[in-house]
Amino acid sequence: MYSEDELRELISGMTDDDGNELMLYSKEQVDQGGNIANLLLSTATIDPEDCKDIATAGLLDTVESGEIAVALSEGDQPRTLSAQSGSEGPDAVEVLDEISGKMDQCANFSVQALGQTYEVTSEEVQADTDAEKTFATLSSRSGENQQKLMQVSAAEGTLLVVATKSGANLGDPDQKELEDLINEVLEKADGGSATSSPTSTSTSGSTSTSSPSGSASPSETESEPEESEMSSPSPTASS
């Protein structure tokens, strides 16, 4: 299991495709909800209730017995990026398996939040990340501002990483952006301990094949250009 500080380290320093930084929320802000609650519907009433997992990408059920870190970018199309790790209950892959199994009955559900009720139509989209399991949905909200919410969730061991983007029109480029954000988090997690030290060697048996040298030795820290991105102040442009 990851500590909250490790999770915060994993999602820190990210920027969205518009160049906005995804700002880390403090533990107090996460507890209070605020913007996050509005975006991730964590304080909403969902009908059928079973579809709450679809609406929140599994964020609620596991966090109560674990740790979470959340980052949010402001703009016309806000993004959220969260990482959570549970100490009890099923691991992240089982959580996503259970959620994806509810898609058939949750193609349509209603949400009551902030004094408003609206209908949500949700469909699964075929996203792909470097995680053991990936599950993604695109939801459309009824009403005047036909807001859409794209959500990509990725499970690796006890780590669940969720990226969302909301806006009027969302498609493949937006899905790619969310996948890239998640893969960046997974790459950090795969680099060993989630500390700010870019030279820490991995002892956890990395399965990443991103090292251009093709070397199987985890002790060769000099030939790992990916690691230095964590401490670089310049944004890494991934296209």
Side-chain angles (χ1 to χ4, degrees):
M1 173 175 164
Y2 293 79
S3 69
E4 184 190 355
D5 287 342
E6 287 174 324
L7 294 174
R8 289 173 67 83
E9 179 66 36
L10 287 178
I11 65 170
S12 66
M14 303 286 193
T15 55
D16 64 28
D17 278 3
D18 294 334
N20 300 312
E21 183 181 353
L22 282 97
M23 305 294 290
L24 274 171
Y25 267 48
S26 70
K27 178 72 170 162
E28 290 73 26
Q29 286 172 307
V30 172
D31 287 342
Q32 291 164 1
N35 273 331
I36 301 167
N38 187 18
L39 274 173
L40 299 183
L41 305 175
S42 55
T43 58
T45 302
I46 313 291
D47 183 28
E49 193 175 340
D50 236 18
C51 298
K52 189 152 192 170
D53 285 342
I54 299 290
T56 62
L59 273 174
L60 281 195
D61 297 329
T62 48
V63 170
E64 287 160 7
S65 58
E67 301 291 345
I68 183 170
V70 180
L72 175 73
S73 74
E74 304 283 359
D76 293 338
Q77 295 182 309
R79 283 76 147 178
T80 70
L81 180 64
S82 63
Q84 66 179 341
S85 180
S87 58
E88 303 167 17
D91 66 13
V93 175
E94 288 179 65
V95 170
L96 279 195
D97 280 338
E98 185 181 342
I99 295 171
S100 60
K102 295 178 180 176
M103 268 313 293
D104 287 345
Q105 69 199 68
C106 295
N108 297 282
F109 55 90
S110 66
V111 176
Q112 189 174 351
L114 305 174
Q116 293 186 323
T117 302
Y118 46 88
E119 301 298 318
V120 175
T121 303
S122 190
E123 61 177 329
E124 185 173 354
V125 293
Q126 297 305 312
D128 184 35
T129 72
D130 297 336
E132 189 176 340
K133 182 175 179 65
T134 306
F135 174 66
T137 60
L138 179 60
S139 301
S140 303
R141 193 187 278 194
S142 67
E144 294 174 12
N145 70 346
Q146 301 271 318
Q147 278 291 93
K148 289 182 166 58
L149 178 70
M150 182 175 283
Q151 218 155 252
V152 181
S153 304
E156 186 72 39
T158 62
L159 181 65
L160 180 60
V161 184
V162 181
T164 76
K165 183 175 184 177
S166 57
N169 292 294
L170 299 174
D172 290 344
D174 308 292
Q175 181 178 317
K176 172 83 165 55
E177 177 186 359
L178 297 180
E179 291 169 346
D180 286 347
L181 282 172
I182 287 175
N183 284 338
E184 202 171 332
V185 173
L186 293 172
E187 189 175 318
K188 277 193 191 181
D190 198 38
S193 57
T195 68
S196 57
S197 168
T199 55
S200 61
T201 52
S202 170
T203 55
S204 58
S206 169
T207 55
S208 172
T209 55
S210 56
S211 172
S213 65
S215 167
S217 167
S219 60
E220 284 191 22
T221 55
E222 293 90 300
S223 63
E224 297 275 352
E226 299 90 7
E227 296 289 325
S228 63
E229 289 176 5
M230 285 190 286
S231 58
S232 169
S234 60
T236 54
S238 57
S239 56

